[in-house]
Every structure is written in C-alpha cells, then in structure tokens.
Amino acid sequence: MQYGMRATLVAALASMILVSGSLANSFEARQTPKITPKLFIISLFSPEANVWYNIPEFDVLAQNITVPGFSPLFPDAHCTEDGTVCQLTTGEAEINAALSLSALIRSPSFDLRTTYFLVGGIAGINPKVATLASVTFARYTVQVCLEYEFDAREMPDDVHTGYIPLGAKKPDQYPGDIYGTEVFEVNDALRKLAVGFAKTAKLNDSAEAQAYRAHYSASQDYVPGASPPSVVECDTAASDTFWTGQLLGETFENTTTLFTNGTGVYCSTQQEDNALLEALLRGAKDQLVDFARIIIMRTGSNFDRQYPGQTAVDNRFGDSGGFAPALANLYIAGVKVIQGILDGWEETFAKGVPPTNYIGDIFGTLGGKPDFGPGSPPPAKV
C-alpha cells in the first residue's frame, strides 16, 4: 500500500514538474520579443541564398531562427543581429514556395506588418526584352501553366499552340474558369524606386555570356538579347514546368498579354512567384503583412528560347554562361535596393510607398478593382 502511495505521489510530482516546465516555456515564448525586419530577402534555392552570406554590408547569419513548416532542406530563417534584414530559402517550385512563406508569415517569431519583401531569384529570359545577367523588376506575375495542354501532335487544327486557357476553347480567349492565382499585380511606385536604386549598380557579366548572347544579333527581334545586361521593368511568368523554345516562348508571351489585358510584358520565366504572392496576399488579408511592400526581382540566367539557327534542345542543354553573372547580379543590384530602403527608412519607407496602381489578385481580395480579368479595361499608363 505504502509503495502504491509513493508511486502515485511520484507520478503526480512528475506531472506537476512537466506542467510547470511547459508553462514556463510558454511564458518565455510569450516574453521573447518578435523580430521586426525592415526587409526580408526571399531566396528559392542554395545558389541564390549563398550570395547574401558573408558580405560586407550586413551579416544575415548573426541569428538563425528555426521556423516550423519550413523546408527540411532549409529549416532556418537568418537575420542580422538587430533583426533589420532577414533572409529565408523556400525551396524550388510552387509548393515549396507557398508552404515555406506561409509558415514564415504565421510564425510567432516575427512581426512582418511593416516588412518589405524582396524576391531575389534567377530566371529564364526572353531575348525580345532583356538578356543574360539582366536584372528585371516585375509589376505583374502570371501563372501561365493554368491552361489546358494538348500534345502538339494532337492539338486542334485551327490553333497555333497546344495551350488553351481553362474554360476557353481558343488560345486568345480569356479563361472562363478562374482559380484566383492567374495574375498578381504589385506596387508599381515601389518597383520604380527599386529600379532607380538598382540602376546605380555596375552589373556583372562574363566572357561566356557575351559570346553566347552575340548569336542573338542575327535577328532584329532579339536586339535586347544581344545587348549588354541592364536593369529592365518587365513581367514574369510562373510555371512548375521548366519549358523552353521559341514556340512555347511566343505562346506564353501571348498568355501574359491576354491575362493582363494587354498591359503585361513577358520577359522572365520562373517556378515560384505566383505561389509566393498568393501566400503574401492571404497574409495581407489577415493583416500580417503589407502587400504594397513587395518587390519581384529576377535576373537572367539562361535564354528561354534558341537563337536563329540553333535548336531548342541545344539552347536548353548547352551552357550560355549566364548562370554565374545572374547570381552575382542578385547581390550587386539587390544590395543597392536594400541599402536604398534602409537609408530612406525614416523619410520614405517606414510609412510605406502609396501604390499608384491596383495591387492584389484577380478577385480584388484586398479591395479595389483589378485592371485585369474578364471584362476589365486596360489600366491607365502610370
């Protein structure tokens, strides 16, 4: 009997200790101040992330915060000692991007309501608009993969492509079935400020990229592709499928134009941006982030289509020499944007940059009337 009573008392005491420890941990978590970054860099995979480590301007490896819900490959967010600048790596493609950023937005470790988000990634580049190592800033992100797809050998006889928008019957018809992630529009006034900061940078290039882009001078359509790298305002297309070639390039140019009611100019292709923006939009709807504080920066690492006389296969599997300078320019141009925001914080950026255009999704989730979508007129030039 005495043994049984002692066992019961020991068990009760252990339970009290566990509860007490749990309460103490919970209290400590509540007492830990949240990190309130002025800017958060979003990288998609290791090579993009590495450009921000061990740089002279700031040390984002001073704090490493494990965030539940992040990719198992990239479990930590990284921040400077004072929490002013932070960085995360989501993992590539739409699922990784959406889940990791959603986990960040709802993490109790951060207060992101006044944070600027800089999406910094490499991308395929359209030689009609820009070139290898160019730095592009988007107003629109378009999810071009939301379409019916026919194998080219079986596509309808009266169309020029195997891609037809969902709920439509022709490639030039606006989608009849709207999912909500087809198009996002971000703050154009902020984009223009970012472009101004980036243009103060001396961009990186390589002899290999110079030699490769010279082939595009054979076509008048590809003059931008044959030119040196520069900072360009143009738009981006998202698809998990890593597509390539002139025919698909022209198809998704047309999709971008169609989905944005004639305003978007397709120049870069990547796998994550619409997923990132959907996560941010849902966070903004819950007043956890400010959708007006997003910058989409993509640098050209490879051409999305072949040069005249080349095959699409050779372009995809050959080496254009653009990968290294594209990565370098993420940092070279991106750090100018970050410094511009930090230097102008009190005067301009703390209170936010008022949008001069509609921002948000096709549903108008955050208020306002979208200037794209079925029946929407083209937006006014800003």
Side-chain angles (χ1 to χ4, degrees):
M1 184 62 135
Q2 290 179 342
Y3 174 79
M5 291 178 63
R6 281 199 302 271
T8 301
L9 287 170
V10 169
L13 180 61
S15 178
M16 290 173 62
I17 291 171
L18 286 172
V19 170
S20 174
S22 176
L23 289 172
N25 290 338
S26 176
F27 178 76
E28 183 181 352
R30 288 198 299 271
Q31 293 299 105
T32 302
K34 292 188 175 186
I35 299 172
T36 307
K38 291 179 180 176
L39 189 135
F40 222 116
I41 302 164
I42 301 174
S43 307
L44 297 319
F45 73 138
S46 293
E48 295 167 351
N50 291 339
V51 305
W52 300 108
Y53 305 153
N54 304 309
I55 61 174
E57 292 83 3
F58 47 80
D59 178 14
V60 292
L61 297 178
Q63 295 190 70
N64 303 299
I65 304 97
T66 300
V67 178
F70 271 20
S71 165
L73 297 178
F74 311 104
D76 296 339
H78 308 289
C79 296
T80 56
E81 189 64 43
D82 62 0
T84 296
V85 179
C86 295
Q87 181 269 338
L88 84 154
T89 306
T90 64
E92 296 169 276
E94 291 175 311
I95 292 174
N96 282 322
L99 289 175
S100 291
L101 192 53
S102 294
L104 172 72
I105 291 167
R106 299 180 187 281
S107 168
S109 298
F110 295 93
D111 180 350
L112 303 171
R113 291 174 294 175
T114 59
T115 299
Y116 287 84
F117 293 90
L118 174 63
V119 178
I122 61 173
I125 205 75
N126 177 3
K128 291 183 179 180
V129 183
T131 194
L132 300 173
S134 282
V135 183
T136 70
F137 290 87
R139 172 176 171 178
Y140 296 101
T141 69
V142 180
Q143 194 175 14
V144 296
C145 58
L146 290 182
E147 304 195 63
Y148 300 129
E149 179 185 5
F150 294 90
D151 187 293
R153 294 163 294 186
E154 298 177 322
M155 68 185 192
D157 293 333
D158 58 346
V159 300
H160 58 277
T161 176
Y163 285 88
I164 296 174
L166 297 175
K169 293 185 177 180
K170 300 289 183 183
D172 59 353
Q173 294 175 350
Y174 207 91
D177 297 335
I178 304 296
Y179 290 4
T181 59
E182 288 83 359
V183 183
F184 292 96
E185 187 172 355
V186 299
N187 187 343
D188 194 47
L190 176 61
R191 174 175 75 146
K192 292 185 185 307
L193 290 175
V195 165
F197 295 142
K199 283 185 174 180
T200 66
K202 183 179 179 180
L203 299 182
N204 188 268
D205 202 0
S206 71
E208 293 80 8
Q210 292 169 8
Y212 196 89
R213 71 167 68 95
H215 293 292
Y216 288 82
S217 63
S219 170
Q220 281 298 113
D221 289 340
Y222 297 157
V223 169
S227 303
S230 60
V231 177
V232 185
E233 296 179 44
C234 54
D235 303 302
T236 191
S239 171
D240 272 343
T241 299
F242 197 134
W243 55 269
T244 190
Q246 179 183 344
L247 297 178
L248 289 176
E250 291 174 350
T251 291
F252 295 133
E253 284 175 35
N254 295 334
T255 300
T256 299
T257 300
L258 176 68
F259 282 21
T260 61
N261 287 33
T263 305
V265 178
Y266 158 73
C267 72
S268 71
T269 173
Q270 37 67 35
Q271 296 176 300
E272 297 89 9
D273 289 354
N274 283 59
L276 295 171
L277 290 180
E278 178 65 20
L280 287 164
L281 181 121
R282 294 185 188 193
K285 186 174 184 295
D286 293 337
Q287 300 182 337
L288 299 174
V289 300
D290 183 350
F291 201 82
R293 299 186 181 217
I294 301 168
I295 300 167
I296 307 293
M297 180 181 72
R298 290 282 180 169
T299 58
S301 62
N302 57 279
F303 283 115
D304 71 349
R305 67 198 72 185
Q306 66 273 31
Y307 56 76
Q310 187 188 37
T311 68
V313 172
D314 287 341
N315 178 56
R316 171 78 294 275
F317 297 123
D319 183 3
S320 68
F323 185 74
L327 287 172
N329 287 338
L330 284 177
Y331 160 68
I332 291 170
V335 78
K336 295 293 187 182
V337 175
I338 295 169
Q339 289 175 322
I341 290 173
L342 297 182
D343 291 345
W345 187 259
E346 296 302 328
E347 182 179 353
T348 302
F349 294 98
K351 62 180 178 289
V353 177
T356 54
N357 59 302
Y358 170 80
I359 61 171
D361 64 355
I362 197 169
F363 292 148
T365 297
L366 302 178
K369 181 176 174 55
D371 48 24
F372 50 86
S376 297
K381 297 294 183 183
V382 178

